[in-house]
Amino acid sequence: MQFLCAPILGRLSDRFGRRRVLVASLAGATIDYLVLALTDTLWVFYLARAVAGITGATNAVTATVIADITPPDQRAKRYGWLGACYGGGMIAGPAIGGLFGGVSPHLPFLVAAALAGITLVLSASLLRETRPPGSNGSHAQQPGTAKRTAVPGMLILLAVFGIVQFIGQAPGSTWVLFTQQRLDWNPVEVGVSLSIFGMVQVFVQAALTGRIVSRIGETRAILVGIAADAIGLIGLALIASTWAMLPILAALGLGSITLPALQTLLSRRAPEQQQGRLQGTLASLNSLTSIIGPVTFTGIFALTRTNADGTLWICAAALYVLCALLMIRETCASRRSR
């Protein structure tokens, strides 16, 4: 549902304002978690999840607000901070869920509803509208507007964003399976490795992304991130000992600069009155890769685990070659058009 509705909500934020859409999304999340906490019926559970997907524009609208209030040369830093917030949530969320889930399977959802409700109240009372003055999205309805507002190279950048998000599903969906088979890790070792990776990623996005982008630019930062992540993935394919995981986690962590830099480049290219539309499209691509990525990479692992269990990492790293070629092509085309 988020894949289908995120672009619509992004366009609604261009037309009616960021604050309204964000408040509606947080209200949907709060209701969703309350229903999940109270229901014992499976179809109600799915219905609540569908409602949360329909109203799930918090990521897209938050990124749009950052684009509205941040000068272009500072966006990479703030998108890095935003990514660090997501990473912090991925570290703290499972711990909170496990802690309260040990008391009752309903309690984590009540805690989530309370947190979403607090965020809803804060957003409704403190957040000011950030949509650029005079922008109401009406341009999207005018004949011939699509041709006037088309941005050269945008489709290539969107393709790179989608591929990078798709590659990111490989560790998320197969980390436990692979490390248990290749390194014979137990659940504690798996959990520690994921926590270390999360902390490295938070540090890189919060402290390094803005500095790297400001020094070498978005395009080079994207290429550096692609190279670092590809090295980390190849390292996973070859890993033979637990200690070798530390430099691999460092490389994968450095690779996390790719998405904030790419998001910054995309936001620079998009007109100010279409920032919501752009971020909605990015959120939709993220959801799409979250649907097809786990099935693809776990399928590859299932087919190759007996004789070549590192194949999935080689396949993921090979996709980065395509990303690099697309980025180089887009950069050359952009320079020729100036």
Side-chain angles (χ1 to χ4, degrees):
M1 294 308 298
Q2 193 171 48
F3 161 64
L4 294 173
C5 296
I8 298 173
L9 292 170
R11 294 187 185 189
L12 289 175
S13 76
D14 285 336
R15 178 177 292 274
F16 299 109
R18 323 303 190 198
R19 182 178 176 275
R20 292 180 182 180
V21 176
L22 184 59
V23 168
S25 297
L26 290 169
T30 304
I31 293 170
D32 167 52
Y33 290 128
L34 283 173
V35 172
L36 296 183
L38 299 175
T39 187
D40 290 315
T41 306
L42 185 60
W43 71 266
V44 176
F45 195 97
Y46 280 115
L47 179 61
R49 289 278 78 193
V51 171
I54 292 170
T55 61
T58 50
N59 293 359
V61 180
T62 303
T64 306
V65 170
I66 289 176
D68 289 341
I69 66 175
T70 307
D73 60 343
Q74 295 294 314
R75 286 178 188 171
K77 179 173 68 175
R78 292 190 177 179
Y79 281 136
W81 291 351
L82 186 62
C85 289
Y86 293 151
M90 294 300 294
I91 295 171
I96 294 172
L99 176 64
F100 290 102
V103 178
S104 166
H106 296 276
L107 190 54
F109 296 110
L110 285 174
V111 174
L115 293 172
I118 291 170
T119 310
L120 170 61
V121 171
L122 290 174
S123 297
S125 58
L126 299 179
L127 182 64
R128 299 178 180 178
E129 180 54 56
T130 64
R131 187 185 59 178
S135 173
N136 61 5
S138 59
H139 61 280
Q141 306 299 324
Q142 298 174 358
T145 301
K147 185 176 180 179
R148 290 198 304 270
T149 59
V151 181
M154 186 66 87
L155 286 178
I156 292 178
L157 294 178
L158 288 173
V160 173
F161 183 90
I163 295 171
V164 172
Q165 288 280 28
F166 177 73
I167 295 170
Q169 299 299 320
S173 58
T174 61
W175 189 267
V176 175
L177 300 171
F178 175 78
T179 54
Q180 285 182 341
Q181 172 162 306
R182 176 69 70 88
L183 302 174
D184 196 28
W185 280 4
N186 59 42
V188 173
E189 291 169 317
V190 171
V192 169
S193 70
L194 290 173
S195 294
I196 293 173
F197 173 67
M199 289 185 285
V200 171
Q201 191 174 48
V202 167
F203 170 76
V204 169
Q205 292 190 325
L208 300 183
T209 298
R211 296 179 181 179
I212 293 173
V213 171
S214 64
R215 177 161 298 194
I216 64 176
E218 291 93 350
T219 300
R220 291 180 180 177
I222 292 167
L223 293 174
V224 168
I226 285 174
D229 212 46
I231 290 171
L233 293 172
I234 294 171
L236 286 173
L238 302 175
I239 192 171
S241 67
T242 295
W243 290 109
M245 187 62 75
L246 293 177
I248 290 174
L249 290 176
L252 294 175
L254 182 59
S256 65
I257 69 173
T258 305
L259 285 176
L262 189 52
Q263 198 168 11
T264 301
L265 188 58
L266 281 160
S267 72
R268 279 180 177 269
R269 297 287 180 87
E272 292 301 315
Q273 67 271 22
Q274 293 186 25
Q275 289 294 324
R277 180 181 180 181
L278 168 65
Q279 299 301 334
T281 301
L282 298 184
S284 181
L285 284 173
N286 184 30
S287 296
L288 177 62
T289 60
S290 298
I291 295 169
I292 63 177
V295 176
T296 300
F297 289 113
T298 54
I300 294 173
F301 182 73
L303 293 173
T304 60
R305 61 179 298 181
T306 302
N307 299 314
D309 60 357
T311 302
L312 74 101
W313 308 119
I314 299 298
C315 292
L319 289 174
Y320 272 134
V321 176
L322 175 60
C323 289
L325 292 175
L326 288 173
M327 284 302 306
I328 293 171
R329 176 186 173 185
E330 193 282 327
T331 301
C332 294
S334 178
R335 289 176 178 173
R336 286 196 300 268
S337 65
R338 291 176 184 175

